[in-house]
Amino acid sequence: MASTRRRASSPMGITRIVADSDSESEHVVDHIQRLHEVCHSAGVPSVILSVPPSLFAKEASGYGDKYDEVNFMLQEWARGADATAESQGVLGYINTEALLPYSEDSLLWDRDGLHFSRAGSLHFGAQLAERLRPLLRSLAGEAGEQLEGDEDGLGRS
């Protein structure tokens, strides 16, 4: 029983929930929000990444609509349509399709049409780092301001 619980709450469990055509969009978003809440409860802010595009999203009956709906809901959550999003530590939303659009002919995608290839993973990571760099610099600046006057380096003035 415990191992079932562990698997259901793992990141791979989210992958199964997103891919499950019977899961409602709200159910998928709820699980993604819970992953973010784990970070926030530890004092770590997060950035929402959209569900990446894929051949499956493009061709599977009904999945394309769910893909669009889930990403719309995630974007609204990040924009503060849910007024508590910012206070929960969500710093923004990144559209993964803008970083790595799906193309059957691209060497950035595996033949299965679902996963990034090794080159695609490297490309995606580089693009994501570029989008996150200003945000991380801003956070580092804020942390520096908070630590100003911290003579012993331990957060005490």
Side-chain angles (χ1 to χ4, degrees), residues 64-146:
D65 292 338
K66 183 167 78 168
Y67 163 85
D68 291 338
E69 188 172 277
V70 166
N71 283 334
F72 176 79
M73 293 168 71
L74 291 173
Q75 188 172 22
E76 288 299 302
W77 178 44
R79 286 187 174 165
D82 173 353
T84 61
E86 189 171 308
S87 65
Q88 291 179 347
V90 173
L91 301 176
Y93 173 89
I94 294 178
N95 178 357
T96 59
E97 188 167 16
L99 306 181
L100 186 59
Y102 176 74
S103 170
E104 290 181 54
D105 302 327
S106 173
L107 297 176
L108 300 178
W109 289 87
D110 272 347
R111 283 184 234 151
D112 67 4
L114 183 61
H115 298 96
F116 302 156
S117 67
R118 178 168 163 43
S121 292
L122 293 171
H123 174 83
F124 182 80
Q127 294 295 310
L128 183 59
E130 284 301 311
R131 298 293 195 299
L132 293 176
R133 187 180 327 269
L135 179 60
L136 294 174
R137 283 190 178 141
S138 172
L139 288 174
E142 289 174 17
E145 289 171 16
Q146 291 172 358

Side-chain angles (χ1 to χ4, degrees), residues 9-24:
S9 64
S10 74
M12 291 310 295
I14 294 300
T15 302
R16 287 191 299 269
I17 290 166
V18 171
D20 180 3
S21 60
D22 292 333
S23 291
E24 295 294 323

